[in-house]
Amino acid sequence: MAAGEGAISDSEKVRIASDFLLHAPPGEFNEVFNDVRMLLKNDTLLREGCAPVFAQYNREQFVPVKLEGVDKKTLVTPYNDIGGGRFVDDHSGKSFKFDHLRREAVDVADAPGIEAKLEPWRAALQTELDAYIDEHFSHGGIGCVFQSRGAGGGLVMCIESHQFAPTNYVNGRWRSEWHVPVGDGQSGVQDMKGQIKCQVHYYEDGNVQLFSDKPTTVKVNVSSDPSKTAKEVLRAISEEEAAYQTAIQENYTTMSESTFKALRRQLPVTRAKMDWLKVQSYRIGAEIKPQ
């Protein structure tokens, strides 16, 4: 083989490293980053080549962030990204630059308000969303209502809740987003599009991951009253997310009773279970006779 043949180019190294980073389990990005760093052995290439991945990962994961001078945390999402590395928190009226590697907000400043016709709806939805989070997320959660800066505009509700327990070898995150059909003057039954994601990593004596992604559409009754409509929207979300959680629990039961059992032999080749209480009395070595 000629010298240098088969060597991996820098662009290919960046692609492979980026793939590892994008698929880092929730709460374990730093660990994956450090492992990739050791493999790559080129900090400049890692930071410059993979910088867009840091931002993409944080936006997709709905990473929570605390703003200086603001009591309630907000989220980093694709919907409140206003460009130039800055994001906006419509609830506090603040914008901030987000350091995607350190995961902290810097340069917090006042932000322009959202469209006047959307603000009454945003405020009503935020009130009901806060109550929903307090009632249904026992480990804490964050819910934000943003004017979507992406395609389609309008209002989008983003929910994030996580539980990181590395000492118990388990980390998990819940995310959901709901595009609320209000603010355009239309009333009556409307379609509300949503997406629910659940990701869990359990790695004690093994490596098991769950990633579930469910796009959905639910019917909501929109009226001219923001408060009444907000209650209807959160009722529909509550029912849909509860049904999703029930389906996951039922799937776990099915997997435990059938799928996982099918992956291993129920009995050894002798067709008899090992009596572990008598294991010390078994003369296994003595039974192995030289031929």
Side-chain angles (χ1 to χ4, degrees), residues 30-264:
N30 288 346
E31 287 75 11
V32 174
F33 175 84
N34 290 332
D35 289 343
V36 168
R37 183 185 182 193
M38 291 297 294
L39 292 171
L40 199 59
K41 295 181 179 179
N42 187 329
D43 285 357
T44 300
L45 183 63
L46 178 61
R47 291 178 182 275
E48 294 180 358
C50 297
V53 174
F54 305 155
Q56 181 181 348
Y57 181 87
N58 290 329
R59 288 194 300 265
E60 290 180 354
Q61 289 287 320
F62 289 4
V63 169
V65 58
K66 178 72 170 65
L67 304 185
E68 184 178 358
V70 178
D71 293 335
K72 185 177 181 293
K73 286 185 177 181
T74 188
L75 300 174
V76 171
T77 79
Y79 304 108
N80 60 329
D81 186 341
I82 57 177
R86 297 190 69 84
F87 296 81
V88 65
D89 175 31
D90 287 324
H91 180 63
S92 64
K94 301 291 185 181
S95 72
F96 58 95
K97 191 174 181 64
F98 190 69
D99 186 324
H100 288 283
L101 195 55
R102 293 187 175 88
R103 294 195 195 88
E104 59 184 26
V106 297
D107 190 21
V108 179
D110 290 335
I114 70 172
E115 295 180 29
K117 67 177 183 179
L118 292 178
E119 177 54 27
W121 298 97
R122 187 210 62 79
L125 288 165
Q126 186 68 64
T127 297
E128 295 300 323
L129 180 57
D130 289 342
Y132 173 73
I133 295 291
D134 291 341
E135 180 179 357
H136 292 278
F137 291 85
S138 58
H139 294 289
I142 299 173
C144 298
V145 185
F146 300 119
Q147 177 182 351
S148 176
R149 271 70 181 182
L155 295 176
V156 58
M157 304 174 69
C158 297
I159 299 173
E160 188 275 347
S161 181
H162 65 262
Q163 186 177 12
F164 300 154
T167 56
N168 294 324
Y169 306 101
V170 61
N171 295 303
R173 170 172 274 142
W174 171 285
R175 289 165 286 163
S176 62
E177 62 184 66
W178 300 92
H179 299 262
V180 189
V182 296
D184 56 5
Q186 296 186 17
S187 298
V189 177
Q190 304 286 332
D191 285 338
M192 179 170 65
K193 296 185 180 299
Q195 189 168 22
I196 309 172
K197 297 180 180 180
C198 182
Q199 188 174 3
V200 179
H201 182 210
Y202 180 73
Y203 50 99
E204 183 177 16
D205 296 329
N207 184 7
V208 179
Q209 292 199 57
L210 162 74
F211 181 73
S212 177
D213 183 353
K214 180 189 179 184
T216 184
T217 300
V218 297
K219 301 289 186 181
V220 292
N221 190 12
V222 177
S223 71
S224 59
D225 184 342
S227 179
K228 182 179 179 180
T229 300
K231 293 181 185 298
E232 167 67 13
V233 166
L234 267 300
R235 180 200 60 76
I237 290 174
S238 178
E239 290 181 358
E240 187 69 12
E241 293 193 347
Y244 172 78
Q245 186 176 29
T246 299
I248 288 181
Q249 291 173 335
E250 291 175 349
N251 189 49
Y252 267 133
T253 301
T254 301
M255 292 177 66
S256 177
E257 294 177 350
S258 60
T259 308
F260 285 141
K261 288 183 179 180
L263 295 177
R264 61 183 177 86

